[in-house]
Amino acid sequence: MAASAAVRSSMGLTLRLSRVIPVCSTCPLYRLNICGNSAASLQRRGSFDSIRTINRHLQTSIGLYQIEEGSSNAEDPDDYVVNIVYIDRSGQRIPVKAKVGDNVLYLAHKHGIDLEGACEASLACSTCQVYVSDAHFDKLPEPVEREDDMLDMAPMLQENSRLGCQIILTPELDGMELTLPKVTRNFYVDGHVPKPH
Amino acid sequence: IWCLLCCSSVIISVYSAGVIVRGSGKAFFASCNPKICVVGSGPAGFYTAQHLIKDAEVDIYERLPVPFGLVRFGVAPDHPEVKNVINTFTQTAKQSRCSFYGNVNVGKDVSIEELQQAYHAVVLSYGAEGNRTMGVPGEQLAGVYSAQNFVGWYNGLPSCQELNPDLSCETAVILGQGNVALDIARILLSPVDILKKTDITQPTLEALERSQIRNVLIIGRRGPLQIACTIKELREMVNLPDTRPEMVAADFNGVAEALKDVPRPRKRLTELMLKTALDTPGEKEQERRNKASRSWGFRFFRSPVEVLGDPDSMRVVGIRLAVNRLEGEGEGARAVLTGEVEDVKCGLVISSIGYKSVPIDPSVPFDSRKAIVPNNMGRVQHVSGLYCSGWLKTGPTGVIATTMNNSFDTARSLVEDIDSGTLDVSISKPGSQSISALLEKRGVKPVSFSDWEKIDNAEMKKGEASGKPREKLLSVEEMLRVVQT
């Protein structure tokens, strides 16, 4: 009994440690930029901040092991938390407590928010378009050319439009509000607003 | 939902996992469980269904044994990420409140009226299977195809497999400058080694390997500022390996100046075109262009007036184009004939000037001028319980995102009508039970979603041997054979 418990707990340690610093560069999810794992995004950005944050992962996980095996939902340190608000298509405000490194599209799905991601974050559609609050729009890194190309096809494009699948949360985005475009109720068929296809 | 009020004495779990009804409330619940049928399983059908299954049971009918419409048969083989949306649709299809009935021809195997009797509401989402014709002499010559049939051919649409286009000429001319035209140009000019790894059909690959086409002209009635394609597709042409762009500089007179007040998408697109057409390339790019064995280019201000044929072979040898000038500016500019004409030698003509919906059933109103079903926010005019979504509703333009919004819109109208009582869902309807019985009597065997998955697996397995994501089955017979094993 005790032996098997010891085996289990050591397995737990191995699993947790190996989860702390995943080797992302070879993973296809990482290379295709569809990995929702926060550590991957941190590695990708490679800033001094993210190295510090990875170290925090390490400390937290080791701390976890000592506290209680099997608990994987420990409280994150406050520095991790990024509070944002989604405003859905009916105007309802949905505050979300998220983490640094979270992907706005997958975060929305996790919280049951109606943000479609038809091409699954591969920059081949514009269904995850969101309007970013003015105060935070400039804090986002510049879109890559392919994102701009896809945004150009989005219905009801605005100055503050971005694709949700390309927004990764950072601490300065705390308080950001993301509005889902409302669907217009009128479509014209006489062709005076030709749409691409 | 108001259903919850009338069934308050019963325990219900009205969620995607299914409905649990207990005790004496069963009759109550069955009567306020709306049953809706969607005709067409492309993006419009599936996105509409996605929004309706929260409130109703949805049955999707599809003429072919395979679902997904233009996602399978329209999106270019070298755009696989666009097809990821199939995963979303598959999730919807596998919900217990959603059922797929493939191999059912609505309008022939079962009428709209019969569907309306069996369901509380019917949503028409069958898209645009016809195409606009040029309406010029010579259009019937061998070597002239509609873009729709050409795309259907290379994407494995069963009804287009006899096309066998002759690609032994040097120049191909495409009329129309939308994304479909650019897709076709790209498929004609891409190195075959790239296409070999896609789900393009085997007969197409063989034809492309033998192809002698070295030059593709993409022709539009109006000017660069009215071009209908988008920047992603233009960029793919500009970056296409082993090809060089060849444009007419004079076509771009005045274009740069007009860009000042133009919205961002049009501006970025035009800037890329100007750069490609007018800028002197850097050394590396110039070398690349010199070495290229194939070429492509836009030609503007030209409308087809006649397809010229060889009287003996009855094949196309050229096309006569009228020269236009523009009246007005921007999106609303009109092409006006100048009286001049110009002949271009070519052996393949593809008209990519627009898809067109067709009427499905005499009982459904149809506007033949606009080629849509007349509707108000998705509610078919003058017919209660009938709705439409997708291209059938608004006309055949728009990317998946547009169709998605359009379909959610129709779903919202329908749910509003249920909630307001405009659509009476209190009477019990038999739904697929009665339709299945009808179909059986008529010798029609519907294909279920898990039957499709058999076809799906067979195609993926077949593709493995040649390193392709799938090798599509090219006939309905083959598909049904796989289903029956």
Side-chain angles (χ1 to χ4, degrees), chain B residues 159-175:
Chain B
S159 57
C160 296
Q161 292 314 297
E162 308 296 305
L163 208 77
N164 295 322
D166 185 341
L167 306 179
S168 60
C169 53
E170 192 190 307
T171 301
V173 159
I174 305 176
L175 284 327

mmCIF file of all heavy atoms in Angstrom, chain B residues 159-175:
data_model
loop_
_atom_site.group_PDB
_atom_site.id
_atom_site.type_symbol
_atom_site.label_atom_id
_atom_site.label_comp_id
_atom_site.label_asym_id
_atom_site.label_seq_id
_atom_site.Cartn_x
_atom_site.Cartn_y
_atom_site.Cartn_z
ATOM 1 N N SER B 159 -20.375 14.904 -60.394
ATOM 2 C CA SER B 159 -21.015 15.306 -61.646
ATOM 3 C C SER B 159 -20.059 15.994 -62.612
ATOM 4 O O SER B 159 -20.424 16.273 -63.750
ATOM 5 C CB SER B 159 -22.187 16.241 -61.354
ATOM 6 O OG SER B 159 -21.720 17.363 -60.623
ATOM 7 N N CYS B 160 -18.835 16.303 -62.184
ATOM 8 C CA CYS B 160 -17.897 16.996 -63.065
ATOM 9 C C CYS B 160 -16.732 16.117 -63.496
ATOM 10 O O CYS B 160 -15.745 16.613 -64.055
ATOM 11 C CB CYS B 160 -17.327 18.231 -62.367
ATOM 12 S SG CYS B 160 -18.576 19.471 -61.985
ATOM 13 N N GLN B 161 -16.824 14.815 -63.220
ATOM 14 C CA GLN B 161 -15.656 13.976 -63.486
ATOM 15 C C GLN B 161 -15.461 13.652 -64.961
ATOM 16 O O GLN B 161 -14.414 13.158 -65.347
ATOM 17 C CB GLN B 161 -15.708 12.700 -62.641
ATOM 18 C CG GLN B 161 -15.528 12.984 -61.148
ATOM 19 C CD GLN B 161 -14.365 13.932 -60.892
ATOM 20 O OE1 GLN B 161 -13.215 13.624 -61.179
ATOM 21 N NE2 GLN B 161 -14.674 15.128 -60.381
ATOM 22 N N GLU B 162 -16.477 13.913 -65.798
ATOM 23 C CA GLU B 162 -16.308 13.641 -67.229
ATOM 24 C C GLU B 162 -15.719 14.834 -67.964
ATOM 25 O O GLU B 162 -15.619 14.833 -69.181
ATOM 26 C CB GLU B 162 -17.674 13.307 -67.865
ATOM 27 C CG GLU B 162 -18.457 12.225 -67.144
ATOM 28 C CD GLU B 162 -17.745 10.888 -67.173
ATOM 29 O OE1 GLU B 162 -17.420 10.427 -68.283
ATOM 30 O OE2 GLU B 162 -17.483 10.322 -66.091
ATOM 31 N N LEU B 163 -15.352 15.893 -67.263
ATOM 32 C CA LEU B 163 -14.931 17.132 -67.924
ATOM 33 C C LEU B 163 -13.720 16.935 -68.831
ATOM 34 O O LEU B 163 -13.699 17.420 -69.952
ATOM 35 C CB LEU B 163 -14.625 18.210 -66.867
ATOM 36 C CG LEU B 163 -14.824 19.650 -67.328
ATOM 37 C CD1 LEU B 163 -16.300 19.974 -67.334
ATOM 38 C CD2 LEU B 163 -14.090 20.635 -66.430
ATOM 39 N N ASN B 164 -12.701 16.232 -68.321
ATOM 40 C CA ASN B 164 -11.469 15.973 -69.091
ATOM 41 C C ASN B 164 -11.004 17.161 -69.916
ATOM 42 O O ASN B 164 -10.940 17.090 -71.145
ATOM 43 C CB ASN B 164 -11.684 14.777 -70.026
ATOM 44 C CG ASN B 164 -11.917 13.520 -69.224
ATOM 45 O OD1 ASN B 164 -11.303 13.319 -68.180
ATOM 46 N ND2 ASN B 164 -12.836 12.685 -69.681
ATOM 47 N N PRO B 165 -10.684 18.286 -69.297
ATOM 48 C CA PRO B 165 -10.275 19.450 -70.077
ATOM 49 C C PRO B 165 -8.946 19.190 -70.785
ATOM 50 O O PRO B 165 -8.064 18.539 -70.241
ATOM 51 C CB PRO B 165 -10.116 20.541 -69.013
ATOM 52 C CG PRO B 165 -9.923 19.837 -67.731
ATOM 53 C CD PRO B 165 -10.617 18.519 -67.839
ATOM 54 N N ASP B 166 -8.856 19.716 -71.975
ATOM 55 C CA ASP B 166 -7.640 19.569 -72.769
ATOM 56 C C ASP B 166 -6.673 20.685 -72.370
ATOM 57 O O ASP B 166 -6.949 21.862 -72.590
ATOM 58 C CB ASP B 166 -8.002 19.682 -74.256
ATOM 59 C CG ASP B 166 -6.807 19.420 -75.157
ATOM 60 O OD1 ASP B 166 -5.653 19.512 -74.690
ATOM 61 O OD2 ASP B 166 -7.035 19.132 -76.342
ATOM 62 N N LEU B 167 -5.538 20.312 -71.776
ATOM 63 C CA LEU B 167 -4.597 21.319 -71.305
ATOM 64 C C LEU B 167 -3.373 21.371 -72.218
ATOM 65 O O LEU B 167 -2.264 21.702 -71.788
ATOM 66 C CB LEU B 167 -4.178 21.006 -69.856
ATOM 67 C CG LEU B 167 -5.326 20.825 -68.855
ATOM 68 C CD1 LEU B 167 -4.775 20.493 -67.464
ATOM 69 C CD2 LEU B 167 -6.204 22.061 -68.785
ATOM 70 N N SER B 168 -3.552 21.038 -73.511
ATOM 71 C CA SER B 168 -2.383 20.953 -74.386
ATOM 72 C C SER B 168 -2.102 22.259 -75.118
ATOM 73 O O SER B 168 -1.314 22.297 -76.045
ATOM 74 C CB SER B 168 -2.570 19.822 -75.389
ATOM 75 O OG SER B 168 -3.715 20.084 -76.165
ATOM 76 N N CYS B 169 -2.737 23.343 -74.716
ATOM 77 C CA CYS B 169 -2.464 24.625 -75.371
ATOM 78 C C CYS B 169 -1.479 25.425 -74.533
ATOM 79 O O CYS B 169 -1.215 25.075 -73.392
ATOM 80 C CB CYS B 169 -3.758 25.413 -75.511
ATOM 81 S SG CYS B 169 -4.599 25.561 -73.932
ATOM 82 N N GLU B 170 -0.992 26.539 -75.084
ATOM 83 C CA GLU B 170 0.004 27.312 -74.347
ATOM 84 C C GLU B 170 -0.631 28.355 -73.433
ATOM 85 O O GLU B 170 -0.132 28.643 -72.348
ATOM 86 C CB GLU B 170 0.939 28.005 -75.330
ATOM 87 C CG GLU B 170 2.153 28.580 -74.646
ATOM 88 C CD GLU B 170 2.958 29.472 -75.571
ATOM 89 O OE1 GLU B 170 3.295 28.986 -76.661
ATOM 90 O OE2 GLU B 170 3.212 30.635 -75.193
ATOM 91 N N THR B 171 -1.750 28.944 -73.925
ATOM 92 C CA THR B 171 -2.353 30.039 -73.167
ATOM 93 C C THR B 171 -3.761 29.681 -72.723
ATOM 94 O O THR B 171 -4.574 29.190 -73.514
ATOM 95 C CB THR B 171 -2.421 31.316 -74.038
ATOM 96 O OG1 THR B 171 -1.101 31.656 -74.431
ATOM 97 C CG2 THR B 171 -3.028 32.486 -73.255
ATOM 98 N N ALA B 172 -4.032 29.955 -71.457
ATOM 99 C CA ALA B 172 -5.383 29.802 -70.924
ATOM 100 C C ALA B 172 -5.897 31.182 -70.537
ATOM 101 O O ALA B 172 -5.147 32.007 -70.011
ATOM 102 C CB ALA B 172 -5.373 28.895 -69.705
ATOM 103 N N VAL B 173 -7.172 31.430 -70.821
ATOM 104 C CA VAL B 173 -7.776 32.717 -70.485
ATOM 105 C C VAL B 173 -8.887 32.474 -69.482
ATOM 106 O O VAL B 173 -9.739 31.601 -69.679
ATOM 107 C CB VAL B 173 -8.332 33.382 -71.772
ATOM 108 C CG1 VAL B 173 -9.393 34.411 -71.432
ATOM 109 C CG2 VAL B 173 -7.204 34.035 -72.552
ATOM 110 N N ILE B 174 -8.866 33.234 -68.393
ATOM 111 C CA ILE B 174 -9.925 33.139 -67.383
ATOM 112 C C ILE B 174 -10.660 34.463 -67.364
ATOM 113 O O ILE B 174 -10.042 35.531 -67.216
ATOM 114 C CB ILE B 174 -9.337 32.845 -65.988
ATOM 115 C CG1 ILE B 174 -8.468 31.584 -66.028
ATOM 116 C CG2 ILE B 174 -10.454 32.684 -64.965
ATOM 117 C CD1 ILE B 174 -7.762 31.277 -64.715
ATOM 118 N N LEU B 175 -11.993 34.420 -67.565
ATOM 119 C CA LEU B 175 -12.791 35.640 -67.480
ATOM 120 C C LEU B 175 -13.279 35.782 -66.048
ATOM 121 O O LEU B 175 -13.869 34.863 -65.507
ATOM 122 C CB LEU B 175 -14.011 35.561 -68.410
ATOM 123 C CG LEU B 175 -13.837 35.750 -69.907
ATOM 124 C CD1 LEU B 175 -12.735 36.735 -70.251
ATOM 125 C CD2 LEU B 175 -13.618 34.458 -70.624
#
